[in-house]
Amino acid sequence: MATNIQINGRRLTTQHSVNAAIKSICNIMRRSNCAGAMQYVPELTWILFLRILDEQEAQEAERAETVGAEFIPSISEPYRWRDWAAPPDDSLFAEKSNGCPIGWKRRELTEGGSLGSFKSFVNDDLIPHLRSLRKRPDATPRQKIIGEIMTAVERVRIDTDKNLLDVLDRVHALRNGHIDPTHVFALSQVYEGLLLKMGEKGNDGGQFFTPREIIRGMVRAVDPQWGETVYDCCTGTGGFLAQSYEHMRDALGQEATADQIETLKRRTFYGREKENLIFPIALANLVLHGIDQPKLWHGNTLTDVAAYADLFHDAPAQFEVILTNPPFGGKEGKEAQTRFAYKTGATQVLFLQHVIDSLAPGGRCGIVLDEGILFRSNETAFVQTKRKLLDECDLWSIVSLPGGVFSAAGAGVKTNLLFFTKGRPTERIWYYDVSDVKVGKKTPFTVDRFADFFRLLPDRADSERSWTVERADIEAKRYDLKAVNPNARGDQDRRTPEELLDIIEAKGREVAEALSALRAALADGRPGP
C-alpha cells in the first residue's frame, strides 16, 4: 500500500488565516534569538523547504509505486522530515522499508533523550548530513540543491528545544493541501511575503529584493515563451525567475504536455548570485514555486569567480530572455574590469555590458537601471556602453519610474526600465513616463500603473505620458537617454506682469495699513492689534 503521511489538520480557507499561521511562526522565532527578518527568514527558509520537499517526495514515491517504478529518495532516514520533525503519530507510517511510525526519531530524542538532545541532533547530525549531500560523487541535482540550501546554516538559531518543536509543529501544519487555492495564495506567494519583510527598509535586505509589481510588469512586457531560456545575472531572492515560471506555465495552460512541464521545471531557468546568505534563499524560493532544478551559479558574476558552479554546469553561453535588476551604485576593482571592453568601476555599467553579451541573437531583455547611467555622458565607459547597446540591440522602450519605487528597500534612487531585443540596431526609442506618480509606504507602486503602457505599447503610440525619440537626436546629445517628457504639464504662473504688479501694490498697502495701526496703538499705550 502506498505511503500516506498526510495529517488531518485544519484547512486554511482565508488569506487572513494563512497570514496568521505564518505570523505565529515568526512570533515564536522573534522571541527565540531571531529578532529581525534577516534572522528569522533564512531560518524559516530551510525549515519550510525540508517540509515541502518531504511532501513532494512522498507524492513522487506514491506515483512511482503506482506504475511499478523505483523511487530513490534524496534524503534517507532518519534525516527525512517525517522522521525527525513531524509530530509523532503511531497511526501513520513513514515507509514500509523500516516500518517506523511518523515522527519516530523525534519521539526517540524528546522522550528518551536528555534536555537539549533534540537541538543537538539537529546541529550536530542533521545539518552536517544535509550539507554534505552536494559533495557526494554521485549526488543527484536535487541533492546538490539540498546541500546548497543548507550551506548558510551552521546551527539552528532558535534558542530552545521547546520553541524549535513548536515552530516545527506549525510548519508541519502549513502545507499546500491545507490551503484552499480558490481563496488564498499558495505557499510560494506566502513565502514571497516573508521575503518582502527582508527587503523592507532597515532590514539590510533591500538590495536583493525587486518590488514584485515591477517584476510582473517587466515579465509581461518581455513575454518569455516555452522553449526559451531565462537568465538573471543578479538573481537576489529569485523573483524574476519565479515570476517568469508562473507566466510561462500559465501560458501553456491545461494543454501542457509532460515534456513541456519537464522542460520548464528542469531546463529553463538560470541565474547567478554572489551573496552567501541570499543564494540558498533563492534556491528554496524557486523550488517552492515549482522549479525542480533551478540552474543557479554562486559567485561574483563580474569576475566570473565561482563559489559553487555545479548546478550551472550545462548552462548555455547566451540566453533567449534576460530579466534582471543590477545593484545600484556599486564599485568594482580591476579584476572585474579586465573582463570587459569598456573599463569602469561602476557596477551597473559592467552588468549592462555582461547582459548585452549574454543575450542570444533575437533575444529580449528587461533590465532595471538607475537614472545616472542614462544621462551621464562625462565618462567614456558610460558613453561607449550605451553606444554598444544601441548598435547591437533595438532599445524599443524606456519606462521612467517614480523616485520612491525602491524606497521601501532603502534605495531612493530614480530608476528606469529598459527593454531591448538583440540583433538589430536602435533606430528610435519609445518612452513612457510614470515618474509623476506619488509612491509612499501607504501608496506603493501597483501593477495597474502599467495598464496604459500596455495599451499603447503595440503601436508605440504617443500620449501625454509617451513619446518617441529618434536615434540621431540621441547621438547629438552624446547618448543621453534620460526620459524628459515633452508633454509634461508643469505648474506655470500664467498671470501677466501688470497683474503681478497690482498684487504687489495691494500687498504693500496691507502692510502699510498694519504698520500704521501698530504705531497708533503704541502711541496710545494700548496693546498692538
Side-chain angles (χ1 to χ4, degrees):
M1 182 176 178
T3 302
N4 184 354
I5 68 165
Q6 297 182 10
I7 292 178
N8 295 323
R10 62 186 178 88
R11 191 166 178 80
L12 303 173
T13 58
T14 66
Q15 190 59 49
H16 177 74
S17 63
V18 176
N19 291 342
I22 289 289
K23 185 178 180 180
S24 70
I25 296 169
C26 295
N27 284 340
I28 298 170
M29 301 181 86
R30 273 192 288 264
R31 67 172 185 257
S32 307
N33 199 35
C34 300
M38 288 295 284
Q39 288 78 47
Y40 68 72
V41 172
E43 186 88 330
L44 185 53
T45 293
W46 68 266
I47 293 174
L48 184 60
F49 169 76
L50 293 177
R51 170 69 181 102
I52 299 304
L53 174 68
D54 189 69
E55 181 178 352
Q56 181 178 340
E57 292 214 329
Q59 293 169 351
E60 291 173 355
E62 285 188 2
R63 289 195 294 267
E65 187 171 355
T66 300
V67 298
E70 181 184 15
F71 175 78
I72 301 175
S74 301
I75 302 175
S76 59
E77 56 91 17
Y79 304 110
R80 302 168 303 179
W81 177 276
R82 70 195 78 169
D83 300 321
W84 67 273
D89 190 331
D90 290 330
S91 66
L92 296 170
F93 287 81
E95 278 194 335
K96 59 185 179 182
S97 59
N98 66 13
C100 295
I102 288 291
W104 67 270
K105 184 63 176 179
R106 170 170 166 172
R107 173 174 287 163
E108 175 186 294
L109 292 166
T110 54
E111 295 182 2
S114 59
L115 184 66
S117 60
F118 187 78
K119 271 190 67 178
S120 295
F121 166 78
V122 174
N123 287 329
D124 302 333
D125 197 353
L126 175 72
I127 292 174
H129 173 78
L130 297 178
R131 284 165 61 99
S132 71
L133 291 178
R134 68 176 184 143
K135 298 179 181 179
R136 291 184 175 182
D138 58 346
T140 65
R142 182 175 286 175
Q143 287 176 326
K144 291 177 181 178
I145 289 170
I146 295 167
E148 278 302 298
I149 288 175
M150 300 303 295
T151 53
V153 185
E154 294 291 342
R155 300 179 68 80
V156 64
R157 294 185 63 96
I158 300 172
D159 55 359
T160 65
D161 278 9
K162 182 181 183 303
N163 284 332
L164 177 56
L165 291 167
D166 198 0
V167 167
L168 296 177
D169 287 346
R170 293 168 188 262
V171 169
H172 188 83
L174 190 67
R175 52 182 293 270
N176 280 318
H178 288 170
I179 298 178
D180 184 348
T182 61
H183 296 105
V184 296
F185 294 135
L187 277 180
S188 58
Q189 289 163 294
V190 173
Y191 182 68
E192 284 200 357
L194 290 173
L195 298 183
L196 177 60
K197 292 291 185 184
M198 259 180 55
E200 288 178 348
K201 189 173 182 179
N203 280 329
D204 298 325
Q207 61 180 308
F208 312 113
F209 193 90
T210 304
R212 291 308 184 250
E213 301 291 327
I214 298 297
I215 289 176
R216 291 185 181 98
M218 292 175 67
V219 169
R220 180 180 170 186
V222 173
D223 191 24
Q225 300 290 309
W226 178 84
E228 294 181 322
T229 52
V230 183
Y231 173 58
D232 183 355
C233 55
C234 309
T235 301
T237 57
F240 280 111
L241 299 181
Q243 186 63 35
S244 295
Y245 168 76
E246 293 186 355
H247 177 88
M248 298 163 83
R249 179 201 62 198
D250 293 348
L252 288 174
Q254 298 297 322
E255 305 303 317
T257 66
D259 179 64
Q260 287 175 321
I261 296 298
E262 182 79 2
T263 297
L264 208 57
K265 287 176 171 288
R266 299 177 184 271
R267 298 183 291 274
T268 299
F269 300 100
Y270 299 81
R272 293 174 182 251
E273 175 53 44
K274 177 181 178 181
E275 295 298 326
N276 295 337
L277 175 67
I278 301 301
F279 181 73
I281 289 177
L283 278 173
N285 188 28
L286 296 178
V287 171
L288 191 55
H289 272 81
I291 303 174
D292 290 347
Q293 291 185 22
K295 310 287 190 177
L296 296 192
W297 185 91
H298 184 195
N300 187 326
T301 300
L302 297 178
T303 62
D304 203 35
V305 175
Y308 186 75
D310 282 10
L311 300 177
F312 202 74
H313 69 91
D314 60 350
Q318 294 181 312
F319 305 87
E320 282 82 23
V321 171
I322 296 179
L323 288 151
T324 193
N325 177 11
F328 308 147
K331 292 294 181 182
E332 292 294 330
K334 298 294 183 183
E335 185 180 5
Q337 296 182 42
T338 55
R339 300 188 61 251
F340 295 93
Y342 308 124
K343 318 298 182 190
T344 176
T347 300
Q348 66 272 43
V349 177
L350 298 180
F351 268 115
L352 181 54
Q353 293 183 56
H354 171 79
V355 165
I356 297 169
D357 293 339
S358 300
L359 195 61
R364 307 175 307 288
C365 175
I367 184 172
V368 183
L369 289 177
D370 65 282
E371 190 144 284
I373 192 174
L374 296 193
F375 67 75
R376 281 184 62 178
S377 58
N378 60 343
E379 187 174 337
T380 302
F382 279 71
V383 175
Q384 291 172 323
T385 301
K386 287 184 283 187
R387 184 172 60 205
K388 173 185 175 71
L389 173 62
L390 269 59
D391 285 347
E392 298 182 19
C393 304
D394 177 14
L395 177 57
W396 41 269
S397 183
I398 294 178
V399 178
S400 179
L401 295 177
V405 168
F406 288 87
S407 60
V413 64
K414 177 77 170 62
T415 55
N416 296 263
L417 309 180
L418 276 66
F419 299 100
F420 51 88
T421 301
K422 189 173 180 178
R424 56 181 181 269
T426 301
E427 295 181 3
R428 61 189 59 85
I429 302 172
W430 183 68
Y431 286 85
Y432 188 83
D433 181 23
V434 284
S435 62
D436 63 317
V437 175
K438 302 300 181 185
V439 176
K441 187 172 184 179
K442 295 184 178 180
T443 56
F445 190 89
T446 53
V447 75
D448 62 282
R449 296 291 186 181
F450 289 127
D452 189 54
F453 165 77
F454 285 112
R455 181 180 66 83
L456 298 171
L457 180 60
D459 298 321
R460 312 287 200 271
D462 288 351
S463 69
E464 289 187 354
R465 292 190 177 274
S466 58
W467 67 100
T468 300
V469 177
E470 298 295 326
R471 170 73 178 261
D473 296 329
I474 294 167
E475 291 178 343
K477 294 190 297 181
R478 204 161 184 259
Y479 295 92
D480 183 348
L481 300 175
K482 182 179 177 181
V484 181
N485 189 348
N487 308 311
R489 296 179 178 179
D491 295 329
Q492 298 181 358
D493 192 337
R494 300 185 182 278
R495 292 172 293 184
T496 65
E498 290 77 10
E499 289 173 332
L500 292 173
L501 288 173
D502 288 344
I503 292 171
I504 293 171
E505 187 177 357
K507 292 295 182 182
R509 285 196 298 269
E510 291 179 14
V511 172
E513 290 171 1
L515 288 173
S516 177
L518 180 59
R519 288 193 179 96
L522 291 173
D524 294 342
R526 294 181 287 109

